[in-house]
Amino acid sequence: MREIRVFETPRALAEGAAEELASLAEEAIGERGKFSLVLAGGNTPRLLYERLAQAPFRDQIDWARVEIFFGDERCVPPEHPDSNFRMANESLLGQVSIPQEQIHRIRGEIEPVQAAREYEAELKAAFRSPQPAFDLVLLGLGEDGHTASLFPGSTALKHKKHWVTAVEHHRPPPPLVTRITLTLPVLNAAREAWFLVSGGGKANILRRILDTEGETDLLPAQQVQPVSGELVFLVDKAAWPEGR
Ligand code: 6PG
């Protein structure tokens, strides 16, 4: 099932997403005692993360029961400007009280294959099940149709067994550094997967992503099709394709 929500502005998108995320967290914690959340990197999610760190969400969400994971990471140290962890830490994680052991950072500072193996082991320890059923996976959308660090034509898109993989990345979009990314089977095992899409620069790719009818060569973002979970596009008006 796919849902699309269009918001007037990037701030309205962040507000609406924060409200929905808070109620999802309450539901997950009520039912299963915790809320497992996969954070997206890039720039778009920053407004949402900053909003979650403010009232009422900072007090409404039971952060002590939130478990944080990352959809992907650039192979740079955590204090590097390109680090997805650094962006999330500055905008949210450093502002709310999540127990450190519940923040599962991908170690971008170590050898990439080792970092991928280590992160996969951490996920397997956290979920102890054939597939990690995250409560919510947040995803961005690149103008080339990539999501997380799953880029068009990448062999990472073919992984069926691995939950995490290292990805060489030598051509735009920047940064041109090796990445660590969750694989499609993991994204598609989520209870909910949200694409956060903002800005006029994303209108063309969003149009293409939404019109999968008859497409055979699916872009990475089109291959995010939760097996039994919900797929939601939260977009602002600027990103909403004309005439849809
Ligand atoms: C990353 C992200 C990536 C991002 C898209 C959109 O590490 O860069 O995981 O998939 O979500 O590139 O990025 P913007 O939100 O900056 O447009």
Side-chain angles (χ1 to χ4, degrees):
M1 212 284 270
R2 184 179 85 181
E3 202 184 321
I4 300 171
R5 289 190 208 141
V6 185
F7 298 86
E8 281 300 317
T9 65
R11 287 210 177 281
L13 166 53
E15 187 71 25
E19 282 168 4
E20 185 60 29
L21 189 146
S23 66
L24 260 188
E26 188 181 359
E27 186 187 313
I29 291 165
E31 286 176 13
R32 293 179 292 279
K34 71 169 186 171
F35 177 55
S36 53
L37 172 60
V38 177
L39 298 181
N43 302 308
T44 301
R46 185 187 283 271
L47 274 183
L48 167 59
Y49 300 166
E50 288 169 349
R51 189 66 190 90
L52 289 168
Q54 297 159 356
F57 307 109
R58 63 169 300 116
D59 310 309
Q60 197 179 327
I61 295 173
D62 183 359
W63 295 103
R65 290 177 177 273
V66 175
E67 193 115 30
I68 295 287
F69 302 84
F70 288 81
D72 70 328
E73 187 52 279
R74 292 81 178 271
C75 290
V76 294
E79 64 280 357
H80 190 284
D82 286 338
S83 164
N84 287 336
F85 171 80
R86 172 174 155 167
M87 185 275 280
N89 195 42
E90 282 173 350
S91 53
L92 175 59
L93 305 181
Q95 321 289 330
V96 292
S97 329
I98 301 175
Q100 275 312 306
E101 67 275 16
Q102 289 171 210
I103 298 177
H104 303 276
R105 180 176 72 84
I106 301 174
R107 290 207 302 154
E109 68 274 25
I110 67 172
E111 194 280 320
V113 173
Q114 178 56 27
R117 278 205 200 102
E118 177 186 273
Y119 199 60
E120 180 159 318
E122 195 161 337
L123 293 186
K124 292 194 168 172
F127 282 92
R128 288 191 297 281
S129 65
Q131 283 287 21
F134 292 111
D135 291 307
L136 175 58
V137 174
L138 298 178
L139 294 165
L141 175 61
E143 293 183 28
D144 61 354
H146 81 262
T147 191
S149 281
L150 297 168
F151 295 94
S154 168
T155 52
L157 291 162
K158 305 229 183 312
H159 280 311
K160 298 278 178 271
K161 202 166 56 65
H162 289 295
W163 292 11
V164 185
T165 191
V167 178
E168 288 302 317
H169 184 60
H170 303 299
R171 59 174 193 269
L176 303 185
V177 293
T178 305
R179 312 289 186 94
I180 310 293
T181 187
L182 296 186
T183 58
L184 282 169
V186 171
L187 301 183
N188 287 332
R191 293 173 192 277
E192 290 220 13
W194 293 0
F195 278 98
L196 301 172
V197 190
S198 173
K202 299 289 175 73
N204 284 338
I205 189 61
L206 183 58
R207 176 197 310 280
R208 185 160 167 204
I209 297 301
L210 293 176
D211 295 337
T212 49
E213 286 309 307
E215 281 239 24
T216 49
D217 188 16
L218 295 181
L219 290 165
Q222 293 174 310
Q223 297 182 49
V224 175
Q225 300 169 12
V227 176
S228 53
E230 303 287 318
L231 177 62
V232 187
F233 286 80
L234 295 101
V235 309
D236 65 13
K237 237 185 171 66
W240 186 243
E242 281 299 311
R244 255 196 76 87

